[in-house]
Amino acid sequence: MSNEAPVQRDVPRGNLVGFKKYFKDDIVSGLLVFLIALPLCLVISIASGFPPIAGIFTAIVGSVIATMFSDSELTIKGPAAGLIVIVLGCVESFGGDGSSIGGWGANDVAAYRAALAVGVVAALLQIFFGIFRAGILGEFFPISAVHGMLAAIGVIIIAKQIPVALGVSASGTPIEMLGKIPEFIASANPAIAAIGLTSVLIMFVWPMIRTKTSWTKLLPSPLIVLLVAIPMGMGFDLMHKHSYTLQNHEYQLGEQYLVEMPKHVFGMFDQLTTPDFTALAQPKAWSWVFMFFVIGSLESLLSAKAVDLLDPWKRKTNMDRDVIAVGIGNVCASMVGGLPMISEIVRSKANIDNGARTRFANFWHGMFLLVCVAFIPMVLHRIPVAALAAMLIYTGFRLAHPQEFMNVWRIGREQLVIFAVTLVAVLATDLLIGIAIGIATKIAMHLSNGVPLKTLVKPEIELLDDDGQTVRLVAYKSAVFSNWIPIRRQIERVGLLERKNVELDLSETQLVDHSVMDKLHEMEADFEQQGLVFNVTGLDAHEPVAAHAQSARRRRVSKIQRLTVVAAPELQTTLENEFVRLGASGFTSTPCVGAGRSDIQSGEVSRKPQVRIEVIAPPGACNEMIEVIRREFQPKHKMTFCLETVLVARTDAFAVHPAAAKEGAAKQDTAHERAANLRDRQAQPQS
């Protein structure tokens, strides 16, 4: 009950009252998030082939625009590692080298301005995307394919940043660069590699230290990296160009290994850059517009949904409005030289953990970034690029963590196949083609599992009952990721919009995939938040492909038991009544004649009138029937019985064991009681 209290009585809101009331909580969280965001903005920008300050521009713009336009209270808007691969690919396609080490030439500037123009158009598409209430399209993509794409992004980030952390210039495809890692190690610049490896070690070890002691929890890993790496860079005198010799090999050091930043106060205004819209005349620009738009919108929607689940007050973001806010922010950021922004999950999670209450925490984190880059850019210039590369290596490792493979495996082997196919396809091609291959793989699996082609996109769903309080919907053929959006809209229309409970019957479906099982779980939480009940029924006849609660369900023949009893005719009515009482939904009784063992052994076969009764029921019911026969009938009457396992198409066609039925009814009563309690609490005046 204590966990629900803040949801019902005092829900923080990002309005004028909330600004005053939660000022202390939000500004403290904003400061702590700033300490994480500062190095991440720099490293993401450098890795994307943009000037380092571009990432800070994005975070500042996002902090203002999102606070004004979005109703997402706890998300932090800014550049994200998940977009590095797309932005860098765009820069390189326009002739920039995207190098983190070396000079910033005319080709790099031209490619940078072309990418800004791509960002503006993609942002306008995001705005229209939200205006036409298309935010629900984020529900389309299968979960395993999205996770495979993110894991591939992690691998690409690692491949691209290892040479940077070692002080080596390199280029090539991710697969080529992974194969060249031994060469990078052999040709590493020892001084730069010392900074990079030390920083990597801190990124991996510090989180474990933070769990051991309380005082370290306020010090994020990126901040510790900067506190160590900056003095190391000063010790190696990276501010001045010079060389040193180690084991008869001469190595060069200088400012090219430091972050390029303005060298005077308010120098940030000299770095403002406008887009070059003439680049849009090139056909290749529009493929990058589509990539920016699709992947950026998808990642932002998924992150915003994840933050909603983490919100202690269970506030729900209007996804269409949030996409519009991100689109407006991206237009503004691109017009001044910033990276694309999304709702960023890592900084948002830190925002929640730091005690933020409203969207003004996002605003304050941007203001701290503004003050920092405006007044002390000279300090930021002393940050070694190798230290920032180490942060990205850690980020990439988390995206492609081996535990991700195990998590997908637990959901089902077919999900691991989709995950792995998407990962490999992205590495071998690009993000858009890779995720398309992952989606095609999942569709092929659905067709092989008997899903009709016509229901892959257009579901068959029917409203059967509506008593004014509860609506019963029945889905036919399939409920899979590709037809989930129409199903969701129907559920929301008859349930959330009309304020009615919903029962979704899936007994007539051939397949319910993992993505839909996951969405149904979210839908249950959405209804409960509104004081309503959402129940899913009809999955008893479906077989889960794995032990995971949200694994896919396939309808197959199931095992059940058949009890056959042969007894005297006078026992027929008594036995039939007893079987029905114990859970049989029906029986078959056939008059017959027969002889028992004693009749045959007497030497003269005596055929006596008998009755043969057959019952098909769940194992629990059959076991109780046998116990009753042994206890109450066999001691007094001659009779025989046998129990066998049979296969049936649907187990729900047979009676549920009384105990199970009683338990199910109790759960139903509890759900309705919970909904009633929620409505009562919401009716109370808020403090």
Short mmCIF file of all heavy atoms in Angstrom, two decimals, residues 79-123:
data_model
loop_
_atom_site.label_atom_id
_atom_site.label_comp_id
_atom_site.label_asym_id
_atom_site.label_seq_id
_atom_site.Cartn_x
_atom_site.Cartn_y
_atom_site.Cartn_z
N PRO A 79 21.85 13.54 -26.96
CA PRO A 79 22.45 12.59 -27.92
C PRO A 79 22.57 11.21 -27.29
O PRO A 79 22.71 11.09 -26.07
CB PRO A 79 23.82 13.20 -28.21
CG PRO A 79 24.14 14.01 -26.98
CD PRO A 79 22.82 14.53 -26.48
N ALA A 80 22.51 10.18 -28.13
CA ALA A 80 22.54 8.81 -27.60
C ALA A 80 23.52 7.96 -28.40
O ALA A 80 23.70 8.15 -29.61
CB ALA A 80 21.15 8.19 -27.65
N ALA A 81 24.12 7.00 -27.72
CA ALA A 81 25.09 6.11 -28.37
C ALA A 81 24.45 5.30 -29.49
O ALA A 81 25.11 4.94 -30.46
CB ALA A 81 25.71 5.17 -27.32
N GLY A 82 23.15 5.02 -29.36
CA GLY A 82 22.48 4.22 -30.36
C GLY A 82 22.41 4.86 -31.73
O GLY A 82 22.17 4.16 -32.73
N LEU A 83 22.62 6.17 -31.81
CA LEU A 83 22.57 6.87 -33.10
C LEU A 83 23.95 7.12 -33.69
O LEU A 83 24.06 7.69 -34.78
CB LEU A 83 21.83 8.20 -32.95
CG LEU A 83 20.34 8.11 -32.56
CD1 LEU A 83 19.74 9.50 -32.45
CD2 LEU A 83 19.57 7.28 -33.57
N ILE A 84 25.00 6.74 -32.98
CA ILE A 84 26.37 7.00 -33.45
C ILE A 84 26.59 6.41 -34.83
O ILE A 84 27.11 7.06 -35.74
CB ILE A 84 27.40 6.43 -32.45
CG1 ILE A 84 27.43 7.28 -31.18
CG2 ILE A 84 28.79 6.39 -33.08
CD1 ILE A 84 28.32 6.70 -30.10
N VAL A 85 26.18 5.16 -34.99
CA VAL A 85 26.46 4.44 -36.24
C VAL A 85 25.80 5.14 -37.43
O VAL A 85 26.40 5.27 -38.51
CB VAL A 85 25.98 2.99 -36.12
CG1 VAL A 85 26.18 2.25 -37.43
CG2 VAL A 85 26.73 2.27 -35.00
N ILE A 86 24.56 5.61 -37.22
CA ILE A 86 23.84 6.27 -38.32
C ILE A 86 24.48 7.62 -38.66
O ILE A 86 24.74 7.92 -39.83
CB ILE A 86 22.37 6.49 -37.94
CG1 ILE A 86 21.72 5.16 -37.58
CG2 ILE A 86 21.60 7.15 -39.07
CD1 ILE A 86 20.34 5.32 -37.02
N VAL A 87 24.73 8.43 -37.64
CA VAL A 87 25.27 9.78 -37.89
C VAL A 87 26.66 9.68 -38.51
O VAL A 87 26.97 10.40 -39.48
CB VAL A 87 25.31 10.58 -36.58
CG1 VAL A 87 25.88 11.98 -36.83
CG2 VAL A 87 23.92 10.69 -35.96
N LEU A 88 27.50 8.80 -37.98
CA LEU A 88 28.84 8.64 -38.54
C LEU A 88 28.76 8.15 -39.98
O LEU A 88 29.52 8.62 -40.85
CB LEU A 88 29.66 7.67 -37.68
CG LEU A 88 31.09 7.39 -38.16
CD1 LEU A 88 31.90 8.67 -38.23
CD2 LEU A 88 31.76 6.36 -37.26
N GLY A 89 27.87 7.22 -40.25
CA GLY A 89 27.70 6.73 -41.62
C GLY A 89 27.30 7.84 -42.56
O GLY A 89 27.77 7.91 -43.71
N CYS A 90 26.42 8.73 -42.09
CA CYS A 90 25.99 9.86 -42.90
C CYS A 90 27.17 10.80 -43.19
O CYS A 90 27.38 11.23 -44.33
CB CYS A 90 24.86 10.61 -42.19
SG CYS A 90 24.22 12.03 -43.09
N VAL A 91 27.93 11.12 -42.15
CA VAL A 91 29.09 12.01 -42.32
C VAL A 91 30.08 11.40 -43.31
O VAL A 91 30.59 12.08 -44.22
CB VAL A 91 29.77 12.26 -40.96
CG1 VAL A 91 31.12 12.93 -41.13
CG2 VAL A 91 28.87 13.10 -40.06
N GLU A 92 30.36 10.13 -43.17
CA GLU A 92 31.33 9.48 -44.05
C GLU A 92 30.83 9.41 -45.49
O GLU A 92 31.61 9.52 -46.44
CB GLU A 92 31.65 8.08 -43.53
CG GLU A 92 32.45 8.09 -42.23
CD GLU A 92 32.72 6.70 -41.69
OE1 GLU A 92 31.98 5.76 -42.06
OE2 GLU A 92 33.66 6.56 -40.88
N SER A 93 29.51 9.25 -45.67
CA SER A 93 28.97 9.18 -47.03
C SER A 93 29.09 10.51 -47.76
O SER A 93 29.12 10.55 -48.99
CB SER A 93 27.51 8.74 -47.00
OG SER A 93 26.67 9.76 -46.52
N PHE A 94 29.17 11.61 -47.00
CA PHE A 94 29.33 12.93 -47.61
C PHE A 94 30.79 13.38 -47.66
O PHE A 94 31.08 14.55 -47.93
CB PHE A 94 28.50 13.96 -46.85
CG PHE A 94 27.04 13.94 -47.20
CD1 PHE A 94 26.12 13.38 -46.33
CD2 PHE A 94 26.59 14.47 -48.40
CE1 PHE A 94 24.77 13.35 -46.64
CE2 PHE A 94 25.24 14.44 -48.73
CZ PHE A 94 24.33 13.87 -47.85
N GLY A 95 31.72 12.46 -47.36
CA GLY A 95 33.13 12.76 -47.56
C GLY A 95 33.92 13.07 -46.32
O GLY A 95 35.13 13.33 -46.40
N GLY A 96 33.30 13.07 -45.13
CA GLY A 96 34.05 13.28 -43.90
C GLY A 96 34.70 11.99 -43.46
O GLY A 96 34.19 10.90 -43.75
N ASP A 97 35.83 12.07 -42.76
CA ASP A 97 36.48 10.83 -42.34
C ASP A 97 36.01 10.37 -40.96
O ASP A 97 36.30 9.26 -40.55
CB ASP A 97 38.01 10.98 -42.37
CG ASP A 97 38.54 12.07 -41.44
OD1 ASP A 97 37.79 12.50 -40.54
OD2 ASP A 97 39.69 12.48 -41.62
N GLY A 98 35.31 11.26 -40.25
CA GLY A 98 34.80 10.86 -38.94
C GLY A 98 35.88 10.51 -37.95
O GLY A 98 35.64 9.82 -36.98
N SER A 99 37.09 10.96 -38.19
CA SER A 99 38.21 10.59 -37.33
C SER A 99 38.18 11.37 -36.03
O SER A 99 37.92 12.57 -36.01
CB SER A 99 39.53 10.83 -38.06
OG SER A 99 40.62 10.57 -37.20
N SER A 100 38.44 10.66 -34.94
CA SER A 100 38.52 11.32 -33.64
C SER A 100 39.92 11.85 -33.36
O SER A 100 40.15 12.56 -32.39
CB SER A 100 38.13 10.33 -32.53
OG SER A 100 36.84 9.83 -32.75
N ILE A 101 40.87 11.45 -34.19
CA ILE A 101 42.26 11.88 -33.99
C ILE A 101 42.72 12.55 -35.28
O ILE A 101 42.58 12.01 -36.36
CB ILE A 101 43.18 10.69 -33.66
CG1 ILE A 101 42.70 10.01 -32.37
CG2 ILE A 101 44.62 11.12 -33.53
CD1 ILE A 101 43.45 8.75 -32.05
N GLY A 102 43.25 13.72 -35.17
CA GLY A 102 43.71 14.42 -36.35
C GLY A 102 42.97 15.73 -36.56
O GLY A 102 42.16 16.15 -35.76
N GLY A 103 43.26 16.37 -37.67
CA GLY A 103 42.70 17.68 -37.94
C GLY A 103 41.26 17.63 -38.38
O GLY A 103 40.71 16.60 -38.73
N TRP A 104 40.64 18.82 -38.37
CA TRP A 104 39.26 19.00 -38.80
C TRP A 104 39.32 19.80 -40.09
O TRP A 104 39.41 21.01 -40.10
CB TRP A 104 38.49 19.72 -37.70
CG TRP A 104 37.03 19.93 -37.95
CD1 TRP A 104 36.43 21.09 -38.34
CD2 TRP A 104 36.00 18.97 -37.86
NE1 TRP A 104 35.08 20.91 -38.49
CE2 TRP A 104 34.78 19.60 -38.19
CE3 TRP A 104 35.96 17.62 -37.53
CZ2 TRP A 104 33.56 18.95 -38.20
CZ3 TRP A 104 34.75 16.96 -37.54
CH2 TRP A 104 33.56 17.62 -37.87
N GLY A 105 39.26 19.07 -41.24
CA GLY A 105 39.48 19.71 -42.52
C GLY A 105 38.21 20.20 -43.17
O GLY A 105 37.09 20.06 -42.64
N ALA A 106 38.39 20.77 -44.39
CA ALA A 106 37.26 21.33 -45.13
C ALA A 106 36.24 20.25 -45.48
O ALA A 106 35.03 20.50 -45.46
CB ALA A 106 37.77 22.03 -46.39
N ASN A 107 36.71 19.05 -45.82
CA ASN A 107 35.79 17.96 -46.15
C ASN A 107 34.93 17.57 -44.95
O ASN A 107 33.75 17.26 -45.08
CB ASN A 107 36.57 16.74 -46.65
CG ASN A 107 37.17 16.96 -48.03
OD1 ASN A 107 36.72 17.83 -48.77
ND2 ASN A 107 38.19 16.18 -48.36
N ASP A 108 35.56 17.58 -43.77
CA ASP A 108 34.82 17.24 -42.55
C ASP A 108 33.73 18.28 -42.27
O ASP A 108 32.61 17.93 -41.89
CB ASP A 108 35.77 17.16 -41.36
CG ASP A 108 36.80 16.05 -41.52
OD1 ASP A 108 36.38 14.91 -41.77
OD2 ASP A 108 37.99 16.33 -41.40
N VAL A 109 34.06 19.56 -42.47
CA VAL A 109 33.08 20.63 -42.24
C VAL A 109 31.91 20.49 -43.21
O VAL A 109 30.74 20.62 -42.83
CB VAL A 109 33.74 22.01 -42.38
CG1 VAL A 109 32.68 23.11 -42.29
CG2 VAL A 109 34.81 22.21 -41.30
N ALA A 110 32.22 20.22 -44.49
CA ALA A 110 31.17 20.09 -45.49
C ALA A 110 30.26 18.90 -45.18
O ALA A 110 29.03 18.99 -45.30
CB ALA A 110 31.79 19.93 -46.88
N ALA A 111 30.85 17.78 -44.79
CA ALA A 111 30.05 16.59 -44.46
C ALA A 111 29.21 16.84 -43.21
O ALA A 111 28.06 16.38 -43.13
CB ALA A 111 30.98 15.40 -44.24
N TYR A 112 29.78 17.55 -42.26
CA TYR A 112 29.08 17.90 -41.03
C TYR A 112 27.84 18.74 -41.33
O TYR A 112 26.73 18.46 -40.86
CB TYR A 112 30.06 18.64 -40.12
CG TYR A 112 29.51 19.37 -38.93
CD1 TYR A 112 28.50 18.82 -38.13
CD2 TYR A 112 30.03 20.62 -38.57
CE1 TYR A 112 28.03 19.52 -37.02
CE2 TYR A 112 29.57 21.31 -37.47
CZ TYR A 112 28.57 20.76 -36.70
OH TYR A 112 28.09 21.43 -35.60
N ARG A 113 27.99 19.76 -42.18
CA ARG A 113 26.86 20.63 -42.52
C ARG A 113 25.80 19.88 -43.34
O ARG A 113 24.60 20.13 -43.21
CB ARG A 113 27.36 21.86 -43.28
CG ARG A 113 28.26 22.77 -42.45
CD ARG A 113 28.61 24.04 -43.22
NE ARG A 113 27.39 24.82 -43.44
CZ ARG A 113 27.25 25.68 -44.46
NH1 ARG A 113 28.23 25.82 -45.34
NH2 ARG A 113 26.13 26.35 -44.59
N ALA A 114 26.25 18.94 -44.17
CA ALA A 114 25.29 18.13 -44.92
C ALA A 114 24.48 17.24 -43.98
O ALA A 114 23.25 17.08 -44.14
CB ALA A 114 26.03 17.27 -45.94
N ALA A 115 25.14 16.67 -42.98
CA ALA A 115 24.43 15.84 -42.00
C ALA A 115 23.44 16.66 -41.19
O ALA A 115 22.37 16.16 -40.81
CB ALA A 115 25.45 15.16 -41.08
N LEU A 116 23.77 17.93 -40.93
CA LEU A 116 22.83 18.80 -40.22
C LEU A 116 21.56 19.02 -41.05
O LEU A 116 20.45 19.03 -40.51
CB LEU A 116 23.49 20.16 -39.92
CG LEU A 116 24.64 20.15 -38.92
CD1 LEU A 116 25.22 21.57 -38.77
CD2 LEU A 116 24.19 19.63 -37.56
N ALA A 117 21.71 19.17 -42.37
CA ALA A 117 20.55 19.33 -43.24
C ALA A 117 19.69 18.07 -43.21
O ALA A 117 18.44 18.15 -43.16
CB ALA A 117 21.00 19.64 -44.67
N VAL A 118 20.32 16.92 -43.23
CA VAL A 118 19.59 15.65 -43.11
C VAL A 118 18.83 15.61 -41.80
O VAL A 118 17.66 15.19 -41.74
CB VAL A 118 20.58 14.46 -43.21
CG1 VAL A 118 19.91 13.16 -42.78
CG2 VAL A 118 21.12 14.33 -44.63
N GLY A 119 19.48 16.08 -40.73
CA GLY A 119 18.83 16.08 -39.41
C GLY A 119 17.60 16.96 -39.36
O GLY A 119 16.60 16.62 -38.71
N VAL A 120 17.63 18.10 -40.04
CA VAL A 120 16.48 19.01 -40.04
C VAL A 120 15.27 18.34 -40.70
O VAL A 120 14.15 18.35 -40.16
CB VAL A 120 16.82 20.33 -40.77
CG1 VAL A 120 15.55 21.16 -40.97
CG2 VAL A 120 17.84 21.12 -39.97
N VAL A 121 15.48 17.75 -41.88
CA VAL A 121 14.36 17.12 -42.60
C VAL A 121 13.82 15.93 -41.81
O VAL A 121 12.60 15.74 -41.71
CB VAL A 121 14.80 16.69 -44.01
CG1 VAL A 121 13.64 16.03 -44.75
CG2 VAL A 121 15.32 17.88 -44.79
N ALA A 122 14.71 15.11 -41.24
CA ALA A 122 14.26 13.97 -40.43
C ALA A 122 13.45 14.45 -39.24
O ALA A 122 12.44 13.82 -38.86
CB ALA A 122 15.46 13.16 -39.97
N ALA A 123 13.85 15.58 -38.66
CA ALA A 123 13.13 16.13 -37.51
C ALA A 123 11.74 16.61 -37.91
O ALA A 123 10.78 16.44 -37.16
CB ALA A 123 13.93 17.27 -36.89
#
